[in-house]
């Protein structure tokens, strides 16, 4: 729940977060969910924090207005898949499948979101596992299990025990971007850091990694703009 509401059209909730490490007031507007957070020094009076937020109202609303619009799968909607757009159509099939460049989905309109999400997760699982296997072989290493999640702040991770986690939304990005994330996480099996040695392993696996890394920074928000009822 927000600590206070910035009045206006529409009202904006703002969360105040006190931190012993904060030396000054710092505003953040999440590009993913529109959450507005003000980090503030522990001893700063709350009235000063509120006054600061009101002073920055135009900046806050500008950033909220620039976020990618929320979207939801439905019949006739064009969904990103491996960097391309595929149109969703109803059909006599048991599960969502690609057919003639379209995504054919069974059931009525109310089932579309669940069926599309299941399709994306299955495709992501297969493609990320294949990429992880390929890159692990190239580096002469291995990994534990792969899990798919829907984190808001990262596209993948690697634990100290070698388990890999990926965002299933990567399957909506260009395939080269998905491959880059797999290369990035598998490279952590050799270097659990972001040192020059780590990036050398990533470059060996994915020479154009900087391009794909930039794509995620600039375009990744659009993938999170898709809403799935099961999330």
């Amino acid at each position: 729940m927000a600590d206070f509401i910035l009045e206006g059209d529409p009202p904006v909730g703002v969360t105040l977060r006190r931190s012993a490490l904060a030396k000054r007031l710092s505003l953040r507007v999440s590009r993913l969910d529109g959450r507005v957070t003000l980090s503030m020094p522990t001893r700063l009076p709350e009235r000063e924090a509120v006054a600061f937020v009101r002073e920055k109202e135009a900046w806050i609303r500008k950033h909220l207005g620039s976020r990618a619009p929320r979207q939801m799968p439905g019949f006739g909607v064009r969904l990103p898949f491996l960097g391309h757009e595929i149109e969703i159509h109803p059909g006599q099939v048991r599960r969502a499948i690609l057919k003639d460049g379209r995504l054919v989905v069974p059931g009525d309109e109310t089932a579309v979101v669940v069926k599309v999400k299941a399709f994306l997760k299955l495709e992501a699982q297969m493609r990320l596992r294949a990429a992880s296997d390929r890159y692990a072989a190239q580096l002469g290493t291995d990994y534990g299990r792969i899990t798919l999640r829907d984190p808001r702040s990262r596209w993948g991770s690697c634990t100290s025990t070698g388990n890999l986690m990926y965002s299933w939304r990567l399957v909506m990005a260009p395939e080269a971007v998905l491959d880059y994330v797999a290369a990035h996480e598998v490279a952590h099996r050799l270097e659990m850091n972001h040192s020059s040695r780590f990036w050398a392993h990533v470059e060996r696996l994915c020479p154009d990694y900087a391009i794909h890394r930039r794509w995620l920074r600039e375009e990744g928000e659009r993938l999170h703009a898709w809403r799935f009822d099961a999330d």
Side-chain angles (χ1 to χ4, degrees):
M1 181 178 293
D3 290 289
F4 80 96
I5 303 297
L6 188 61
E7 300 296 338
D9 185 18
V12 177
V14 181
T15 298
L16 302 181
R17 181 171 297 162
R18 293 185 182 274
S19 169
L21 300 177
K23 303 299 182 184
R24 57 185 177 83
L25 292 166
S26 177
L27 262 175
R28 180 176 180 272
V29 178
S30 171
R31 299 288 295 178
L32 300 180
D33 58 15
R35 186 175 303 166
V36 181
T37 304
L38 176 69
S39 297
M40 54 189 289
T42 304
R43 296 177 181 236
L44 188 80
E46 185 172 312
R47 65 179 182 278
E48 292 187 29
V50 172
F52 179 81
V53 172
R54 287 176 175 150
E55 179 184 328
K56 298 295 183 181
E57 179 177 357
W59 181 89
I60 293 171
R61 293 190 182 279
K62 176 183 176 182
H63 279 72
L64 288 173
S66 66
R67 292 172 59 229
R70 302 289 281 174
Q71 300 183 75
M72 179 178 285
F75 292 138
V77 173
R78 298 184 67 82
L79 176 82
F81 177 69
L82 297 179
H84 303 285
E85 288 193 339
I86 54 174
E87 191 166 307
I88 303 171
H89 287 262
Q92 299 300 313
V93 291
R94 291 190 174 183
R95 59 182 176 84
I97 61 170
L98 278 176
K99 185 176 182 180
D100 300 326
R102 302 184 302 178
L103 182 59
V104 182
V105 179
D108 57 27
E109 187 78 36
T110 61
V112 172
V113 172
V114 173
K115 300 293 186 182
V116 169
K117 182 178 179 180
F119 166 81
L120 292 175
K121 291 186 72 172
L122 179 60
E123 289 287 333
Q125 179 77 29
M126 293 189 298
R127 294 173 186 277
L128 285 163
R129 181 172 296 281
S132 300
D133 287 346
R134 183 169 69 251
Y135 292 136
Q138 289 181 40
L139 290 181
T141 187
D142 59 7
Y143 62 87
R145 67 178 182 274
I146 289 179
T147 57
L148 296 184
R149 296 178 185 164
D150 191 17
R152 294 295 189 263
S153 60
R154 59 177 60 189
W155 297 103
S157 64
C158 175
T159 69
S160 59
T161 56
N163 294 324
L164 306 180
M165 183 282 296
Y166 295 111
S167 167
W168 57 263
R169 291 178 187 263
L170 283 167
V171 79
M172 295 191 282
E175 191 165 11
V177 173
L178 178 150
D179 285 348
Y180 153 66
V181 176
H184 184 117
E185 300 312 331
V186 171
H188 277 310
R189 293 292 292 129
L190 301 185
E191 294 287 341
M192 285 295 291
N193 52 57
H194 288 99
S195 65
S196 58
R197 293 189 302 274
F198 166 79
W199 288 111
H201 291 312
V202 176
E203 186 171 22
R204 173 184 164 192
L205 300 175
C206 184
D208 295 331
Y209 78 87
I211 296 173
H212 311 314
R213 189 181 182 207
R214 184 168 60 249
W215 190 96
L216 282 172
R217 285 201 305 267
E218 296 176 354
E219 305 293 337
E221 179 195 355
R222 292 194 295 108
L223 306 187
H224 283 289
W226 285 89
R227 199 175 114 232
F228 296 84
D229 286 346
D231 286 351

